[in-house]
């Protein structure tokens, strides 16, 4: 099988220094997690669906392209409204997952429903990300799969019997979500039973179940670590995608660091997004917030307290929170995040190295970080092709002059607008 390569042009960037308290408002792009799930559900439904205010970024474009390769008609011409017309999945086809965990874990179960061979490959780092538990689960359901990690081939037979399967999803909740999103099309539906250490990022599993229910699936998650989807056809519908709350992390952090005030427009009053925990975590570090019909307003004093927190359910927030800990007035301990070693990069190792470069003392533990602030200085901050490492560097750069990112272009994975949004926010209030 031919391995894929991608030519990457890096965009060096000097993080802007804040010259005073930041006051402004930001409208974030749509949630990556919701956009990805809505695309898959729309492509496997009976009739047409629309996605209002979806995220247009590398991950979601790869998902749309992958679904087109399987036969769905996905129109993304209008930034504000995407349209998906489902078709029975078919092969042969090749799917490029890039570095997107959602694509590499959500689409193989859909490919199992196609007739023909579907190959998957992606960026070099994607080949190191956990996939084997999902593939073993598919094999246990009778699906023939070649390979235990990218590149792989799913040899679709046009149907999957389904039934009950056991999986160790302690490395990623996406391993479960991928099975559930396709499960209604399996002859017997699917029951997924997790056995092993706790599943991280449980809010994402709740999101999967709620969106399946909204599409008309019969679901049951009343038993801990067991998720059931009954067989049946899903209904097309109009999805309205929430703002990406995890993407709000650097913007809310800017208010905290500078003693300013930042409003994130259209923050939902009720959501399954893990990013909703930002308001609680950042308040514990010294900020305050209010939520009204316009959105969430976060206020800082410029003084940051250290944090002792279990981030197991919100691991994607770790990079920005770790950056704030490096700027705090005392030591911090972040726990429960050993699983983020297998994200876009080894985020624990990367944060330890890069925050140490700028002057913090960072000790890696088995499942987290211990961070002691120091006299901070400018440095070249390696971003490791990881959007959230770039966000962390930008936050440090608010207070520390001379923080130079090796590549701000990696933010296009989930927020292509990040450099412009950041510059606009600082220009409005600093």
């Amino acid at each position: 099988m031919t391995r894929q390569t991608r030519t990457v042009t890096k965009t060096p960037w000097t993080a802007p220094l804040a010259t005073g308290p930041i006051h402004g408002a930001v409208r974030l792009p749509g949630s990556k997690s919701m956009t990805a799930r809505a695309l898959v559900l729309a492509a496997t439904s009976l009739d047409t669906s629309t996605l209002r205010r979806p995220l247009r970024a590398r991950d979601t474009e790869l998902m749309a392209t992958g679904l087109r390769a399987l036969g769905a008609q996905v129109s993304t011409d209008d930034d504000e409204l995407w349209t998906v017309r489902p078709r029975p999945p078919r092969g042969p086809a090749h799917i490029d997952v890039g570095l997107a965990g959602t694509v590499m874990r959500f689409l193989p179960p859909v490919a199992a429903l196609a007739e023909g061979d579907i190959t998957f490959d992606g960026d070099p780092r994607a080949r190191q990300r956990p996939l084997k538990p999902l593939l073993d689960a598919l094999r246990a359901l009778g699906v023939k799969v070649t390979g235990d990690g990218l590149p792989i081939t799913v040899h679709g037979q046009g149907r999957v019997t389904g039934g009950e399967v056991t999986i160790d999803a302690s490395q990623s909740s996406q391993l479960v979500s991928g099975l559930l999103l396709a499960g209604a099309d399996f002859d017997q539906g699917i029951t997924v039973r997790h056995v092993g250490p706790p599943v991280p990022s449980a809010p994402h599993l709740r999101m999967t179940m709620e969106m399946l229910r909204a599409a008309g699936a019969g679901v049951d998650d009343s038993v801990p670590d067991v998720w059931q989807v009954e067989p049946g056809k899903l209904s097309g519908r109009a999805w309205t995608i929430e703002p990406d709350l995890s993407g709000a992390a650097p913007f809310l952090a800017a208010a905290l660091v500078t003693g300013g005030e930042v409003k994130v427009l259209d923050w939902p009053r009720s959501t399954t997004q893990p990013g909703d925990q930002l308001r609680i975590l950042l308040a514990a570090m010294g900020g305050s917030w209010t939520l009204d019909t316009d959105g969430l307003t976060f206020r800082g004093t410029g003084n940051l307290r250290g944090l002792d927190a279990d981030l197991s359910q919100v691991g994607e927030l770790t990079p920005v929170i770790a950056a704030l800990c490096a700027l705090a007035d005392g030591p911090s301990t972040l726990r429960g995040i050993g699983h983020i070693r297998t994200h876009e990069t080894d985020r624990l190792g990367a944060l330890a190295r890069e925050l140490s470069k700028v002057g913090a003392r960072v000790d890696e533990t088995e499942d987290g970080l211990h961070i002691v602030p120091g006299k901070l200085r400018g440095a070249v901050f390696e971003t490791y092709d990881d959007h959230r490492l770039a966000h962390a560097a930008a936050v440090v750069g608010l207070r520390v002059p001379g923080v130079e990112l090796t590549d701000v272009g990696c933010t296009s994975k989930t927020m292509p607008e990040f450099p412009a949004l950041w510059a606009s926010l600082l220009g409005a209030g600093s």
Side-chain angles (χ1 to χ4, degrees):
M1 189 179 301
T2 302
R3 287 183 176 270
Q4 300 292 304
T5 58
R6 180 172 70 101
T7 301
V8 178
T9 302
K10 294 190 179 296
T11 308
W13 188 68
T14 300
L17 187 70
T19 57
I22 289 174
H23 296 270
V26 62
R27 187 180 300 280
L28 295 173
S31 162
K32 178 195 75 170
S33 300
M34 292 189 70
T35 301
R37 285 162 174 78
L39 283 170
V40 174
L41 293 172
T44 55
S45 296
L46 277 174
D47 35 31
T48 300
S49 296
T50 57
L51 282 68
R52 183 171 297 280
R53 297 180 183 171
L55 170 67
R56 182 185 290 278
R58 186 179 184 228
D59 278 18
T60 54
E61 292 275 17
L62 285 167
M63 181 68 83
T65 300
L67 290 168
R68 290 189 194 105
L70 290 171
Q73 295 182 3
V74 185
S75 172
T76 60
D77 294 338
D78 184 341
D79 284 342
E80 290 294 308
L81 191 70
W82 291 2
T83 303
V84 182
R85 294 178 175 85
R87 297 288 186 274
R90 53 169 172 73
H94 174 76
I95 293 175
D96 177 9
V97 311
L99 193 50
T102 49
V103 181
M104 68 185 288
R105 295 172 184 141
F106 291 1
L107 291 192
V110 178
L113 294 161
E115 290 191 3
D117 291 351
I118 314 296
T119 62
F120 293 80
D121 201 359
D123 296 357
R125 173 63 182 176
R127 301 178 195 127
Q128 302 172 28
R129 300 188 71 182
L131 186 59
K132 189 174 185 296
L134 172 66
L135 304 181
D136 286 345
L138 288 173
R139 292 184 179 108
L141 295 170
V143 180
K144 184 181 178 183
V145 183
T146 301
D148 288 330
L150 295 175
I152 64 167
T153 300
V154 177
H155 305 279
Q157 299 297 314
R159 57 182 290 272
V160 177
T161 302
E164 182 167 333
V165 68
T166 299
I167 186 172
D168 179 351
S170 57
Q171 294 178 299
S172 174
S173 64
Q174 291 174 352
L175 299 166
V176 175
S177 286
L179 294 165
L180 298 176
L181 288 167
D185 273 332
F186 297 171
D187 295 349
Q188 299 175 16
I190 192 165
T191 299
V192 182
R193 186 179 302 274
H194 164 69
V195 176
V199 180
S201 302
H204 281 129
L205 278 173
R206 289 195 290 273
M207 178 187 295
T208 297
M209 295 298 273
E210 285 198 8
M211 292 183 71
L212 276 162
R213 189 178 288 113
V219 302
D220 184 357
D221 57 358
S222 59
V223 178
D225 287 335
V226 179
W227 303 268
Q228 183 175 8
V229 180
E230 297 176 1
K233 296 306 294 183
L234 304 180
S235 301
R237 55 159 292 163
W239 297 99
T240 297
I241 307 301
E242 298 173 358
D244 192 331
L245 304 189
S246 294
F251 301 98
L252 300 183
L256 191 63
V257 169
T258 68
E261 179 177 299
V262 171
K263 177 184 281 278
V264 177
L265 299 170
D266 301 322
W267 194 286
R269 288 197 172 262
S270 177
T271 181
T272 53
Q273 289 192 62
D276 193 43
Q277 289 299 307
L278 277 168
R279 47 181 170 155
I280 309 301
L281 291 163
L282 270 56
M285 298 191 77
S288 61
W289 55 271
T290 54
L291 181 61
D292 58 27
T293 55
D294 292 332
L296 180 80
T297 301
F298 196 86
R299 303 172 185 85
T301 63
N303 297 316
L304 280 71
R305 295 193 291 265
L307 182 69
D308 187 330
D310 182 338
L311 301 182
S312 58
Q313 300 306 305
V314 290
E316 63 205 53
L317 305 181
T318 301
V320 165
I321 291 175
L324 290 171
C325 292
L327 300 171
D329 60 7
S332 297
T333 299
L334 307 178
R335 294 172 279 105
I337 44 178
H339 63 283
I340 72 172
R341 295 183 189 280
T342 60
H343 281 197
E344 282 80 346
T345 188
D346 173 357
R347 283 179 171 165
L348 293 185
L351 286 165
R353 287 189 294 274
E354 303 312 311
L355 293 177
S356 295
K357 280 185 190 176
V358 298
R361 193 180 83 216
V362 185
D363 295 318
E364 258 184 276
T365 66
E366 184 177 351
D367 77 334
L369 299 169
H370 183 65
I371 302 170
V372 179
K375 185 176 181 180
L376 301 188
R377 58 185 178 271
V380 176
F381 200 108
E382 175 65 50
T383 55
Y384 303 90
D385 202 24
D386 187 332
H387 54 143
R388 301 203 192 280
L389 264 294
H391 295 166
V395 169
V396 173
L398 289 169
R399 187 177 285 182
V400 181
V403 175
E404 299 178 8
L405 284 67
T406 56
D407 180 30
V408 76
C410 63
T411 57
S412 66
K413 184 178 193 295
T414 54
M415 196 186 302
E417 308 94 325
F418 176 75
L421 285 172
W422 197 248
S424 176
L425 185 65
L426 266 66
S430 61

